[in-house]
Amino acid sequence: MTALLRYQAALLVRSQRWLSPVLLYAAFMGIAVRAGDPVLDSFGYAAAALLPVAAWLVRVCTGTEPAAARTCAAAAAGPARAHLASVLTALLGALALGTVGTLYVALIGDPHTADHRTGIPLGRATAAGLLAALACALLGTAVGALCNRPLLRGPGWAVSATAVTTLLVLVAGASPANAAVSGLVEGSHTGAVPLPLLPLAVTCLAAAGATALACALSSRRT
Amino acid sequence: MRLRGVGRRYGLGGPWVLRGIDLELAPGSLVRVEGTNGSGKSTLLRLLAGIDAPSAGRITGRPRTAYVPERFPAELPLSARGYLVHLGRIHGLGRTAAERGAGEWLERFGAAGHADTALTELSKGSSQKVAVAQALLGAPGLLVLDEAWTGLDRAARAELDAAVAERVAAGGTVVFVDHDPRRLSGAADTVLRVADARLTPVAAHRPDASGPRPKGPEDDAGPWVAVVTEGPPGTGLPPDLPGAPRHEPLAPGRVGPGPVRLTVGAAHSDALLRALLTAHPPWHIRSVTELPVTAATPPEGP
């Protein structure tokens, strides 16, 4: 699996197709997060923005290899493992980006509530921000795994399904990503810093289930 | 490796491309798959290579596998060597072994000059050499070649023939499809024909034989095969050659090493060739001729 991950990471980095999602994330952070903003609000933005970026990175990673090269790697390692490696590479990329984004917020954000009156423990807040980013990256990966090859193959369907699903899981009240982000935003008003452990557990299950389904179908829908 | 009742169709209600296939592939065998265009040859190869899962039935006991597609337009942001090292490591080699293997196989196929060329800039033939090299690099137990010779130059095609013989001699199974009916003719242990979604064995094409020749010591009374071979300078014939061949130098007056003519019972010829090709260092085969039964004389002792 290490060799597969190294191969997929080399493809991702050298293809430069990571550039668009990363620029999207950077642009969003530049607009939504300013120095001196309440830190928990900014953590919420940083986490929410990561969800579409993670879904996009899955699309990039599962689509970089031409079919001929994919069959060669699939014969050597098994199609399911090859597909798992591409999804994991996207998740690792999203996590690296999310970590950078969250630490950037921790550096420039104001560790107070939204009304700037009550102080917020920055260490615990950063931990909550990182966990929320992790939850959003996992759910974005689940969306990406379900909305791309091998489940959806036409680019039109794949891109529109990704966009609609991403929007849904960000705004729907029942979504764990929404729960993680709104937990941070509420905390910014009350001064309490909840760690989004339950949303994280749910997104873990969602990502594992979606990826397992995509990997299982990778040798059946070709 | 065994296939039991294997079938494949695309989509839930699609027509069966292959159906009810029972097949056993022994280690050290060379299998040719024939069939018209669109008959399902490529689907069978993809099932064997594990790229496609069967819609029905089971495939068990697949060894470590490598696959060569017919066309390899690898639009990958890697150099030829970089790609091969990655694939070598996916095949389970260590870093040094993968780097050495990548260099060696590119050299064998005459593409060493393109090692640091980006895959996107390679010609069709050179790309195909990279595709073949990635499969041979890992010394797979099962090698699946889907018209892998297409696009290769003559020297590289001969090199691939030799590499296939080496894989088989080392106990690997090689399954191939090629549009040239003479490809590896006489060497294939099994010929399978795909037609109407079924797989039927065909008698292997062996020169001057209507069917597979029985193998065994009793066959020594049968036809003889002359193999002209040449070793690297300064090396004697490998010991314990199969079939205990009679040997004589081809150019008796010549000083120094030269080609040697080995005469052996036809039943032992495959094994003899394997032993010569896999000797360390390997012997070069110059020609293989079947001798007419009347002209052959029994060996007078090695």
Side-chain angles (χ1 to χ4, degrees), chain A residues 3-4 6-7 10-11 14-15 64-66 68-69 71-79 218-222, chain B residues 8 10 46 49-53 65-67 69 71-78 83 86-87 89-91 134:
Chain A
L4 275 171
R6 208 182 281 117
Y7 170 61
L11 292 184
R14 285 157 169 266
S15 75
T64 320
E65 265 182 300
T71 54
C72 291
S218 62
S219 58
R220 293 188 168 77
R221 288 169 61 86
T222 48
Chain B
R8 179 71 163 114
Y10 295 95
R46 292 170 65 89
I51 302 163
D52 269 10
T65 307
Y67 174 79
R71 282 184 301 270
F72 188 73
E75 298 290 319
L76 292 173
L78 297 170
Y83 174 72
H86 275 296
L87 264 284
R89 302 211 65 189
I90 292 172
H91 277 291
Q134 66 77 28

Side-chain angles (χ1 to χ4, degrees), chain A residues 123-218:
Chain A
R124 186 176 164 86
T126 309
L130 283 173
L131 291 180
L134 176 58
C136 287
L138 283 167
L139 200 60
T141 305
V143 171
L146 292 180
C147 294
N148 283 296
R149 202 186 57 77
L151 280 100
L152 291 179
R153 283 168 294 181
W157 285 112
V159 173
S160 23
T162 307
V164 171
T165 320
T166 304
L167 196 67
L168 269 179
V169 296
L170 273 177
V171 300
S175 146
N178 186 303
V181 173
S182 20
L184 290 173
V185 176
E186 269 169 39
S188 193
H189 290 283
T190 60
V193 185
L195 293 180
L197 293 177
L198 182 65
L200 184 61
V202 177
T203 54
C204 267
L205 289 177
T211 310
L213 178 67
C215 291
L217 289 177
S218 62

Side-chain angles (χ1 to χ4, degrees), chain B residues 227-230 237 246-263 283 286:
Chain B
V227 175
V228 177
T229 178
E230 190 168 0
L237 271 174
R246 182 175 56 157
H247 55 90
E248 57 199 348
L250 254 200
R254 223 171 104 177
V255 182
V260 180
R261 186 176 133 117
L262 303 174
T263 316
W283 280 59
R286 296 193 30 179

Side-chain angles (χ1 to χ4, degrees), chain A residues 54-97:
Chain A
W56 194 343
L57 281 174
V58 172
R59 171 154 187 80
V60 168
C61 286
T62 54
T64 320
E65 265 182 300
R70 199 163 59 227
T71 54
C72 291
R81 276 159 50 86
H83 194 75
L84 176 62
S86 60
V87 175
L88 276 182
T89 305
L91 175 62
L92 291 175
L95 288 181
L97 193 60

